[in-house]
Amino acid sequence: MRDYRLRCERLWELGGIELRQMNYDYIIAGSGLSGLSLLYCLLQEEPLSRKRILVLDKAKKNQNDRTYCFWERGEGLFESIIHKQWSTLEFCSPDAQVEFELKQYHYKMVRAADFYDHVLSHAGQFENVTFKQEPIEAIKSLPDKATVKTSDSEYSADYVFNSTRLFDPDMTVDNTLLQHFKGWFIKTDTARFNDDKATFMDFRMAQEHGTTFMYFLPTRQDEALVEYTLFSREVLADEAYDLELKRYIRDRLGISDYDITHTEFGVIPMTTQSFKKHIGKRIINIGTAGGYTKASTGYTFQFVQKNTKELIGYLRSDKTPAVGPRYIQRVFDWYDRTLLDVLLQERLSGQQVFSQLFNRNPPEKILEFLANESSFWGRFNIRNSVPMMPFMISGIRSLIG
């Protein structure tokens, strides 16, 4: 473990003249979830694992800066670092309370620190992978290569996989909601939680700021993540998150004595605007930059893994990854834009929409739909379980807008 960490430190700091002038096969611009997922998958495949790969980011990834939650069937690529998983979920609102056992899926949690450590440990075994800690200023697509300009140097590669915000669409308060959240990991002195069951969404709280709910994810009988989440145009003052977290823990969980062992905060854009999948033929957008954050829910982890698998398939077959979305992806993107428009125009509240979904559908069919995995009839049933007129108006707006 110590040897790989020393090697990673040297790779981050390496900056010789010969490397500054070197052309790489692939440059990964950004070493967050999507960049490191792609790197990890490249290093699993021959001959891709022998490609010269440069990973650029302004910061090292060595902090537990977020928690990834997702649902999937069976075991996934990162099963060895699953921190906790649940087979029973609960949805709560003033109009619906549904507890359900998962048959097809498991709901899983991965801590960012474990993810970073796992990928960097693996990458540290490859001499052909270089990390550089430099701010990225510009990325350009040329006919036969792409270039990345940093504050220190300029690099070129056959392909650049970009997860920076350089090519984001124009997001405004008229077309974008922010999913913002603050989470506390809390620890109690005694066993207080049923760690076999997680609360997927709890809407039993004031909704004056917009769509507002809590996640309650017990990782042990004496430890849990409690996360206050909102979809709104603006973030709140920090003390507002703390107030609601304290209130929920006291009033809903019935706990007054606990320690906060870790805090996380994040903001995810949820927009009706389209993210470009590629810039020219040599810049491939990945992660949120490529539109692989679920626009209607903010879920990212599993969509990144699906996208990465597709990219690996193109590269392994020596085909260009500069392709547009498949038809079914465009269908689900339209559903996402439609729901966002409903919320942006305040035709319905998020509480109303999700309550009706859970009242009128088998819960796993909802998860299947939100994972972009439902069949035609599954999508038909979901569409028919929400009020027709608000969604019809927003659907038309999304098609012509």
Side-chain angles (χ1 to χ4, degrees):
M1 183 68 73
R2 182 174 179 273
D3 290 342
Y4 107 78
R5 286 189 180 279
L6 290 174
R7 168 164 164 70
C8 286
E9 291 289 334
R10 289 196 295 270
L11 287 172
W12 279 108
E13 295 168 1
L14 195 58
I17 297 299
E18 69 279 4
L19 285 179
R20 289 176 185 273
Q21 298 174 345
M22 186 175 184
N23 179 70
Y24 294 87
D25 294 304
Y26 306 139
I27 294 175
I28 298 175
S31 61
L33 169 63
S34 57
L36 291 184
S37 293
L38 176 59
L39 175 65
Y40 188 77
C41 289
L42 286 169
L43 299 179
Q44 308 297 313
E45 294 277 348
E46 287 287 349
L48 301 180
S49 63
R50 289 183 268 117
K51 297 288 188 179
R52 294 166 299 171
I53 303 171
L54 171 64
V55 182
L56 287 169
D57 202 304
K58 64 182 179 181
K60 298 177 184 178
K61 297 301 181 183
N62 55 12
Q63 301 294 317
N64 192 36
D65 53 0
R66 64 199 64 210
T67 301
Y68 303 114
C69 289
F70 58 97
W71 56 93
E72 68 178 343
R73 293 181 171 94
E75 296 188 353
L77 185 62
F78 295 103
E79 199 69 22
S80 64
I81 58 170
I82 297 297
H83 182 64
K84 178 67 177 176
Q85 59 181 308
W86 299 268
S87 59
T88 302
L89 296 181
E90 180 182 41
F91 172 87
C92 300
S93 80
D95 304 312
Q97 187 157 355
V98 182
E99 181 178 315
F100 54 100
E101 184 176 351
L102 297 171
K103 304 294 186 182
Q104 302 178 56
Y105 295 101
H106 276 82
Y107 194 73
K108 303 180 180 183
M109 172 190 287
V110 170
R111 299 184 303 180
D114 296 334
F115 174 77
Y116 299 147
D117 195 62
H118 182 70
V119 176
L120 293 175
S121 175
H122 187 64
Q125 304 172 39
F126 291 80
E127 297 287 342
N128 54 305
V129 179
T130 302
F131 291 82
K132 286 181 178 288
Q133 189 179 346
E134 299 174 13
I136 296 169
E137 296 181 349
I139 306 175
K140 294 182 180 179
S141 180
L142 304 174
D144 60 342
K145 64 180 180 179
T147 62
V148 180
K149 185 180 184 303
T150 72
S151 57
D152 297 329
S153 307
E154 185 169 293
Y155 306 98
S156 64
D158 295 341
Y159 290 107
V160 172
F161 298 94
N162 168 63
S163 62
T164 73
R165 309 300 296 271
L166 289 173
F167 304 107
D168 279 3
D170 183 23
M171 290 182 280
T172 70
V173 294
D174 294 323
N175 59 37
T176 302
L177 289 174
L178 301 177
Q179 178 179 154
H180 45 111
F181 52 88
K182 187 170 187 178
W184 287 351
F185 279 87
I186 63 172
K187 189 175 189 309
T188 59
D189 290 335
T190 59
R192 301 294 300 269
F193 310 128
N194 175 7
D195 63 343
D196 292 327
K197 181 177 73 173
T199 300
F200 178 60
M201 287 176 166
D202 189 342
F203 280 95
R204 295 173 299 178
M205 57 187 53
Q207 301 288 311
E208 71 265 22
H209 298 298
T211 300
T212 306
F213 56 92
M214 286 281 185
Y215 289 110
F216 172 58
L217 307 173
T219 54
R220 298 191 338 186
Q221 292 184 350
D222 61 349
E223 291 181 348
L225 170 61
V226 187
E227 193 158 277
Y228 180 50
T229 303
L230 304 96
F231 303 169
S232 64
R233 286 180 167 85
E234 296 179 349
V235 299
L236 307 180
D238 191 56
E239 56 268 20
Y241 301 96
D242 293 345
L243 178 64
E244 291 301 328
L245 285 165
K246 290 176 183 176
R247 181 178 294 157
Y248 187 85
I249 294 169
R250 182 192 66 222
D251 296 345
R252 291 295 178 188
L253 303 183
I255 296 172
S256 57
D257 188 15
Y258 56 91
D259 293 321
I260 302 170
T261 60
H262 181 69
T263 298
E264 61 182 32
F265 178 81
V267 181
I268 301 170
M270 303 165 62
T271 183
T272 59
Q273 299 293 92
S274 296
F275 289 81
K276 293 182 178 179
K277 305 301 181 186
H278 57 91
I279 309 297
K281 296 296 183 182
R282 298 290 174 173
I283 301 172
I284 312 301
N285 289 331
I286 60 176
T288 299
Y292 292 100
T293 290
K294 179 74 169 171
S296 60
T297 64
Y299 276 88
T300 302
F301 190 93
Q302 199 61 358
F303 290 99
V304 163
Q305 307 316 318
K306 293 175 182 179
N307 172 236
T308 300
K309 184 177 180 181
E310 289 185 1
L311 288 178
I312 294 297
Y314 289 120
L315 296 172
R316 187 174 52 225
S317 303
D318 201 26
K319 296 178 181 178
T320 177
V323 297
R326 295 177 292 115
Y327 167 76
I328 192 61
Q329 181 62 51
R330 295 197 299 271
V331 170
F332 279 107
D333 287 348
W334 175 61
Y335 291 147
D336 287 336
R337 293 195 306 274
T338 298
L339 174 56
L340 278 175
D341 190 76
V342 168
L343 298 180
L344 281 163
Q345 303 303 319
E346 299 181 355
R347 295 190 172 94
L348 293 168
S349 69
Q351 177 185 301
Q352 290 174 308
V353 172
F354 283 100
S355 294
Q356 292 204 25
L357 286 174
F358 276 91
N359 271 328
R360 300 180 181 182
N361 295 278
E364 277 199 284
K365 291 299 181 182
I366 301 170
L367 297 184
E368 190 177 60
F369 177 80
L370 295 176
N372 293 8
E373 294 175 352
S374 55
S375 65
F376 171 83
W377 286 112
R379 300 193 297 274
F380 178 83
N381 290 332
I382 292 290
R383 289 197 307 269
N384 280 359
S385 66
V386 293
M388 180 179 295
M389 191 57 64
F391 278 87
M392 180 180 295
I393 295 170
S394 287
I396 294 171
R397 279 171 51 91
S398 299
L399 281 175
I400 64 178

